[in-house]
Amino acid sequence: MSGLNASLGYFLACVVLAASTRTLLKKWPRLAFLSELSSSFMLVACRLEVQTIVEVGEWAGGLGPDVTLTVLSAVLLVHGAVCGDHSGNPSVSVLRFLQLDAAPAATVLAVASHFLGAHLAKLAAEYYWSLELTDMHMIKNLMARECSTSLLVSPTHGFFTEGVCALLFHLAHLLLRRRAALIRVLFGAALLTFLSHTAKGYTSGYVNPSLAYGLTFQCPGFTFTEYALVYWLAPITGMILALLLYMGHIPRIFAKNLLYFHKTRFRVPKGGEKEKKK
């Protein structure tokens, strides 16, 4: 339990940092991309520690699968509550761009902030592990250079798995975007936990390019191109399909509705044209 107590302190530090950054930046809307950076940092830093608990804690710390699943759910729930609309997910930022809700420059800054936040989180986690506060972290520090990849299937199979997970996630995101914040946070955390648990034997269901970059791109087993195909291209593809299913078109690219046809509510009486001619 000492390892879990140290992890809880680490989680708390990440949450305080993200919440403080968001509070300070409320006065400067133009610096919203920094909120995306802090959101990505918190998510990746916490998920790296969750990954440590899964890989090491279950056999070295005596923590069962139920504990790791509960910790993952709590992390996703707190991240959604603290960061709000700043998802820390590049595919969500691209979705807003395609919906005409964000300018090109703002989207580029947001996506760059996501990956920068993920990289900083990776460095922070490695420093935290190097302190070796518990046996679990000492083992993780020794294993850091020989990490296990999250991609446990072929890139083609992984592309399909991540694409389906992203399709479900973004479709739910679009359907719930006008709902109350509490509903969005609760359902979002539950859905991401379900996808991660269901796809853990395939790709881990990250549905987040910057999160995957921080958690598995450095692990041996696949090339950078194969990782990018599964964890970058597949989520974007799933997101585009979800947008097409939800709206029938992509506003940023074309306005014609390809899937749904809107019928007029009012019909012209049959005798109306004859009366006009008379």
Side-chain angles (χ1 to χ4, degrees), residues 12-181:
L12 181 60
C14 294
V15 170
V16 170
L17 179 61
S20 302
T21 303
R22 187 182 179 190
T23 302
L24 291 173
L25 293 175
K26 281 184 177 180
K27 298 179 181 179
W28 299 283
R30 293 183 179 181
L31 299 179
F33 67 93
L34 293 179
S35 294
E36 291 288 354
L37 188 151
S38 66
S39 175
S40 178
F41 177 89
M42 174 187 168
L43 179 62
V44 176
C46 291
R47 287 296 297 267
L48 282 168
E49 185 66 4
V50 172
Q51 191 179 63
T52 300
I53 296 173
V54 172
E55 293 178 350
V56 183
E58 289 189 1
W59 61 270
L63 304 176
D66 55 334
V67 175
T68 58
L69 195 62
T70 301
V71 172
L72 174 61
S73 301
V75 165
L76 293 172
L77 187 63
V78 174
H79 177 264
V82 171
C83 298
D85 294 333
H86 302 288
S87 63
N89 190 334
S91 60
V92 173
S93 296
V94 175
L95 175 63
R96 291 171 183 163
F97 170 73
L98 294 177
Q99 288 184 290
L100 303 178
D101 292 334
T107 303
V108 171
L109 281 174
V111 171
S113 298
H114 292 144
F115 284 98
L116 178 58
H119 186 70
L120 293 175
K122 184 179 168 184
L123 296 177
E126 289 175 353
Y127 173 75
Y128 168 68
W129 297 332
S130 69
L131 298 177
E132 299 184 356
L133 299 177
T134 65
D135 293 340
M136 181 177 70
H137 295 104
M138 180 184 67
I139 297 172
K140 178 61 180 179
N141 187 41
L142 296 173
M143 296 170 55
R145 294 182 180 180
E146 299 295 333
C147 59
S148 301
T149 178
S150 299
L151 183 57
L152 304 178
V153 293
S154 66
T156 303
H157 194 176
F159 179 89
F160 177 78
T161 303
E162 277 295 304
V164 171
C165 290
L167 173 64
L168 296 174
F169 169 74
H170 287 289
L171 198 55
H173 173 79
L174 290 167
L175 291 171
L176 296 174
R177 64 176 183 165
R178 299 188 186 279
R179 298 288 183 177

